[in-house]
Amino acid sequence: MSKIDIAVVDYGMGNLRSVSQALEHVAPSKVVVVTSNPEDVASAERVVFPGQGAMPDCIRELDTRGLREAVLQAAQNKPFLGICIGLQMLFEHSEEGDAKGLGLFKGEVKRFAAKDMIDSHGEKLKVPHMGWNQVYQATSGQSQLHALWQGIESGERFYYVHSYYVKPADEGITSGYSEYPYRFTSAIAADNLFAVQFHPEKSANAGLQLLSNFVSWAP
Amino acid sequence: MGLAKRIIPCLDVTDGRVVKGVNFLELRDAGDPVEIAKRYDDQGADELTFLDITASSDNRGLILHIIEQVASQVFIPLTVGGGVREVEDVRRLLNAGADKVSINTTAVLNPQMVADAASRFGSQCIVVAIDAKKVENQPFEWEVFTHGGRKATGLDAVEWAKKMVGLGAGELLVTSMDRDGTKIGFNNPLNKAISDAVAVPIIASGGVGNLQHLVDGVKLGGADAVLAASIFHYGEYTVKQAKEYMAQHGIEVRL
């Protein structure tokens, strides 16, 4: 079997083709595999952990396929990119279905409180938070700009679609944040791991730049 | 600064080709779907919607090829609607590369299908399209129509919107059948009534003739996104011009 450069973890929750296609687009010479085989996740050089749908279902399907250990291992020892629910699952607990997460990071996944949310014009804000919002790069806790933000301006817009957001216990892991209308963590960084709430695979050039940065990242 | 209002060009597809309608009678080939999608992407389109208007069910699968081609080269959200009848249709479109699937007539005929699709694939990818028309003979103002606006349903559009969101729709595409093709602007009271009634984002559709209509759609109609076809297809305006105009009028957009 040929070596896998990038494994996209598939636990049966929806379409991962857009993620793999975007990776293939920025790294045409790399072997990108969408896989539900824990051995592929273990052997791959890099791992992308996407997710859509409801977090309790995602966790259940992950376990059904025996992927939990492989994902936890990868998250601690190789370049690892979590996307959307793939970020949320890394935390201890989610308000969505009162679900237990993988617990790699201390903190909660919380729902946007739609009824309290008003924008600067007094209009009510919708949930899901859907569309292009600005991502500000955080430097607190990090001595310099993270490698995955190279070539991307702070305040660049990325595409989001979600109703829940992460609230890390340790603010030092926040590498990016957005406002809706309150500030929430939209990217975290810790050693070999980077995870984002937005969808880089659907965020036009800015998203492709981030994926390209991930493919060449040497943490 | 926060979430941007979205501009969504809509492309009609029939028999696997993107076409431009001239009064719905003459359909002209508008060119290569990937090139058109790329052009709108370059202009700064926030999403693209493909509407399958294929008459014969035999050829309806052809849109899958278009979506596959576009999704491999254009990295913004893609919505596909038209002829979506079963959960299996939703799955096929998502697998081809669609990010969201829009359900219209089937939502009326079989509302459970919306619930089933949302619970299987997540609300984030289920859009319910509501075609509404102003009516005089009902205890409500706007009625839901199906089959391209030909068939009355007896349903109050605002109540219907609430019901669809309750079943799991993550977004609503609201088209005013009175305005569609008129170029006199969106039906803002309709959009506003629905936008105020539900928590999910609303896409306004039907009636755009100039850039002020897009501004009004957001400011008066409470739309989270505006959809337009002809003003972009015929080169009257680029998506970039539309965004600049909206920005000048105090609307947050992705530039």
Side-chain angles (χ1 to χ4, degrees):
Chain A
M1 200 183 74
S2 69
K3 140 179 137 32
I4 298 172
D5 293 311
I6 306 167
V8 179
V9 184
D10 177 9
Y11 44 92
M13 286 296 293
N15 169 35
L16 305 178
R17 190 165 166 158
S18 55
V19 176
S20 64
Q21 279 179 325
L23 287 163
E24 282 161 5
H25 186 82
V26 298
S29 63
K30 301 284 185 188
V31 178
V32 180
V33 177
V34 176
T35 180
S36 54
N37 183 346
E39 288 170 21
D40 290 344
V41 177
S43 72
E45 187 190 302
R46 289 161 204 277
V47 169
V48 176
F49 186 43
Q52 49 183 261
M55 182 169 137
D57 298 339
C58 290
I59 292 279
R60 188 192 64 231
E61 293 303 311
L62 196 67
D63 282 335
T64 301
R65 287 164 179 75
L67 282 160
R68 176 187 287 249
E69 255 331 287
V71 167
L72 278 171
Q73 284 299 318
Q76 293 170 87
N77 66 22
K78 62 180 79 174
F80 184 97
L81 177 64
I83 298 174
C84 194
I85 312 290
L87 160 70
Q88 297 179 5
M89 282 193 283
L90 302 175
F91 286 81
E92 293 172 303
H93 180 262
S94 175
E95 287 181 0
E96 186 173 21
D98 192 22
K100 226 177 147 208
L102 298 175
L104 205 55
F105 297 101
K106 287 202 186 325
E108 272 280 303
V109 183
K110 299 177 76 72
R111 188 176 167 87
F112 286 116
K115 61 178 170 53
D116 304 331
M117 292 171 31
I118 304 284
D119 72 8
S120 52
H121 303 288
E123 287 288 325
K124 84 171 173 183
L125 291 172
K126 304 297 184 68
V127 177
H129 173 227
M130 185 187 285
W132 299 77
N133 203 340
Q134 290 182 290
V135 177
Y136 300 97
Q137 296 160 14
T139 46
S140 67
Q142 289 117 40
S143 54
Q144 56 187 7
L145 186 67
H146 197 281
L148 266 71
W149 294 131
Q150 291 298 329
I152 300 167
E153 279 185 40
S154 187
E156 181 59 82
R157 289 182 186 276
F158 286 84
Y159 185 78
Y160 284 92
V161 49
H162 65 126
S163 300
Y164 294 81
Y165 62 94
V166 299
K167 192 168 184 348
D170 171 11
E171 271 297 327
I173 64 171
T174 294
S175 185
Y177 62 90
S178 296
E179 290 168 355
Y180 194 66
Y182 314 110
R183 174 187 290 208
F184 69 92
T185 295
S186 57
I188 64 166
D191 303 320
N192 56 296
L193 177 146
F194 198 85
V196 294
Q197 180 60 64
F198 51 82
H199 289 270
E201 76 280 11
K202 286 290 159 187
S203 296
N205 291 336
L208 295 175
Q209 180 67 51
L210 189 141
L211 292 176
S212 172
N213 291 344
F214 173 70
V215 170
S216 58
W217 183 30
Chain B
M1 299 294 269
L3 188 64
K5 300 296 178 184
R6 290 168 279 154
I7 294 192
I8 308 175
C10 180
L11 302 158
D12 285 345
V13 176
T14 185
D15 298 324
R17 299 195 312 173
V18 173
V19 291
K20 289 198 244 199
V22 181
N23 299 329
F24 296 99
L25 296 172
E26 248 178 280
L27 290 173
R28 291 190 193 147
D29 200 3
D32 178 59
V34 176
E35 273 174 32
I36 297 169
K38 271 187 170 168
R39 186 165 70 230
Y40 286 136
D41 178 22
D42 288 343
Q43 291 176 7
D46 296 308
E47 291 183 35
L48 294 173
T49 288
F50 293 83
L51 190 60
D52 191 355
I53 56 168
T54 304
S56 141
S57 57
D58 296 348
N59 289 340
R60 206 163 278 130
L62 294 172
I63 194 167
L64 296 174
H65 298 298
I66 288 190
I67 300 306
E68 280 171 9
Q69 286 170 34
V70 172
S72 68
Q73 295 188 55
V74 176
F75 300 98
I76 57 175
L78 308 175
T79 301
V80 186
V84 177
R85 290 189 172 77
E86 306 165 12
V87 171
E88 183 59 20
D89 295 330
V90 178
R91 191 188 65 80
R92 269 198 293 269
L93 288 166
L94 293 175
N95 281 346
D99 299 286
K100 306 182 211 176
V101 172
S102 165
I103 304 168
N104 192 340
T105 298
T106 300
V108 174
L109 300 178
N110 177 19
Q112 185 58 34
M113 189 276 209
V114 172
D116 293 345
S119 79
R120 178 144 169 220
F121 306 110
S123 291
Q124 83 287 342
C125 64
I126 303 301
V127 182
V128 168
I130 299 175
D131 292 347
K133 221 186 256 190
K134 192 163 174 66
V135 285
E136 306 293 343
N137 56 343
Q138 295 278 15
F140 46 77
E141 207 168 348
W142 299 285
E143 184 171 352
V144 178
F145 279 70
T146 59
H147 300 85
R150 292 190 303 276
K151 227 166 157 174
T153 63
L155 297 163
D156 174 353
V158 177
E159 289 305 313
W160 180 244
K162 288 198 242 178
K163 180 174 178 186
M164 289 297 101
V165 172
L167 288 180
E171 191 172 35
L172 300 174
L173 168 59
V174 183
T175 302
S176 163
M177 302 309 293
D178 305 299
R179 300 299 179 97
D180 209 23
T182 63
K183 294 189 158 256
I184 59 171
F186 293 121
N187 186 335
N188 293 314
L190 164 69
N191 295 333
K192 182 73 178 154
I194 292 180
S195 186
D196 284 347
V198 299
V200 305
I202 301 293
I203 306 167
S205 156
V208 176
N210 61 45
L211 301 183
Q212 183 59 38
H213 292 153
L214 302 177
V215 170
D216 293 343
V218 172
K219 288 194 169 175
L220 306 177
D224 301 282
V226 287
L227 181 135
S230 59
I231 62 163
F232 298 131
H233 297 335
Y234 296 105
E236 287 170 63
Y237 305 101
T238 64
V239 177
K240 187 158 189 286
Q241 286 171 324
K243 287 187 155 185
E244 284 166 352
Y245 186 88
M246 289 169 82
Q248 283 159 18
H249 289 74
I251 295 173
E252 196 166 343
V253 291
R254 178 177 70 109
L255 279 170

